[in-house]
């Protein structure tokens, strides 16, 4: 990252009930400690970066939708305890539907619960990262924004990880249709689509 004018450093580990048991073979305390140890490693190294890089820190409880809400909140707040974000230097807390396990309204309910229960909501940017297992990535993102999220992650035409991610082009056009400016430049939409088609053969 040295020399980069700005960057987001993204730290994540799965917190879901299944991956705690099968992947990490750890209980809640053990998996929380993995997150805290990672946060401390990042915090200990930030000073080496210097002051020329505008660095934003981001944490995701991967497989958030398979995680108990109180536990997801606990892990996120434990990471924030290490990073000490402030309203002037916010941390991104990203809540991914790594596996789209339910309908969009349920995801939005989960986002709203987190939005209402963070103890330092003013010191974080609440972010969404949806997948498309049920074909509802855009709908889940739209409802998640209405439920209190500030930021979204997506991919061009939905071509992303595994089942695909939320299609940032569709999302942006949907916002435009409702009078909301997504602040993205789509003046070369045809060229964007052509390049994406040529690169992916999709």
């Amino acid at each position: 990252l040295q020399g980069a004018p700005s960057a987001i450093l993204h730290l994540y580990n799965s917190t879901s009930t299944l991956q705690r048991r099968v992947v990490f073979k750890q209980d809640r305390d053990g998996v929380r400690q993995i997150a805290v140890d990672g946060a401390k490693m990042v915090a200990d190294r930030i000073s080496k970066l210097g002051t020329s890089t505008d660095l934003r820190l981001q944490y995701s409880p991967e497989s958030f939708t398979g995680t108990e809400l109180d536990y997801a909140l606990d892990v996120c707040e434990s990471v924030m305890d290490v990073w000490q974000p402030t309203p002037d230097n916010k941390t991104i807390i990203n809540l991914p539907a790594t596996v789209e396990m339910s309908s969009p309204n349920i995801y939005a309910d989960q986002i709203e619960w987190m939005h209402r229960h963070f103890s330092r909501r003013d010191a974080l940017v609440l972010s969404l990262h949806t997948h498309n297992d049920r074909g509802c990535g855009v709908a889940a993102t739209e409802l998640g924004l209405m439920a209190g999220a500030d930021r979204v992650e997506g991919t061009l035409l939905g071509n992303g990880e595994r089942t695909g991610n939320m299609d940032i082009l569709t999302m942006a056009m949907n916002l435009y249709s409702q009078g909301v400016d997504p602040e993205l430049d789509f003046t070369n939409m045809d060229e964007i689509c052509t390049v994406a088609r040529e690169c992916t053969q999709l």
Side-chain angles (χ1 to χ4, degrees):
L1 294 174
Q2 285 183 337
S6 63
I8 296 172
L9 195 156
H10 185 189
L11 175 72
Y12 67 93
N13 63 289
S14 183
T15 55
S16 72
T17 56
L18 178 66
Q19 287 175 299
R20 290 197 312 259
R21 178 172 51 84
V22 174
V23 176
F24 295 118
K25 297 179 175 48
Q26 297 276 346
D27 61 9
R28 283 182 170 211
D29 290 340
V31 169
R32 183 195 312 105
Q33 194 60 50
I34 290 170
V36 169
D37 289 346
K40 287 178 178 176
M41 290 169 74
V42 168
D44 290 344
R45 288 161 174 77
I46 288 177
S47 61
K48 298 177 182 177
L49 187 58
T51 57
S52 61
T53 299
D54 177 20
L55 183 65
R56 178 70 57 96
L57 298 178
Q58 174 174 331
Y59 175 72
S60 295
E62 185 191 3
S63 297
F64 164 74
T65 49
T67 304
E68 309 91 331
L69 291 178
D70 65 321
Y71 180 62
L73 181 68
D74 180 32
V75 174
C76 290
E77 296 227 320
S78 295
V79 169
M80 291 172 67
D81 287 343
V82 175
W83 286 346
Q84 292 294 306
T86 66
D88 293 325
N89 185 27
K90 297 181 180 187
T91 287
I92 299 169
I93 297 292
N94 186 56
L95 302 176
T98 309
V99 178
E100 192 175 34
M101 300 172 72
S102 59
S103 54
N105 60 301
I106 301 298
Y107 181 63
D109 287 346
Q110 293 171 319
I111 299 304
E112 183 177 13
W113 190 93
M114 296 289 284
H115 164 69
R116 292 180 183 275
H117 285 84
F118 274 111
S119 62
R120 289 168 284 179
R121 181 61 180 88
D122 63 340
L124 65 91
V125 175
L126 191 57
S127 177
L128 308 175
H129 178 111
T130 58
H131 277 250
N132 223 28
D133 303 79
R134 298 167 59 96
C136 297
V138 170
T141 301
E142 289 189 357
L143 288 178
L145 285 172
M146 287 190 267
D150 308 304
R151 172 184 184 270
V152 301
E153 296 182 347
T155 59
L156 292 175
L157 308 172
N159 179 44
E161 313 153 278
R162 203 173 41 79
T163 60
N165 296 95
M166 187 271 296
D167 178 357
I168 202 82
L169 300 179
T170 299
M171 181 72 199
M173 294 298 104
N174 288 359
L175 289 174
Y176 272 130
S177 76
Q178 300 303 308
V180 178
D181 183 357
E183 299 183 25
L184 297 175
D185 180 2
F186 290 126
T187 53
N188 293 319
M189 178 90 71
D190 288 343
E191 184 181 359
I192 290 169
C193 292
T194 298
V195 171
R197 258 196 317 272
E198 290 175 354
C199 291
T200 63
Q201 299 299 301
L202 295 174

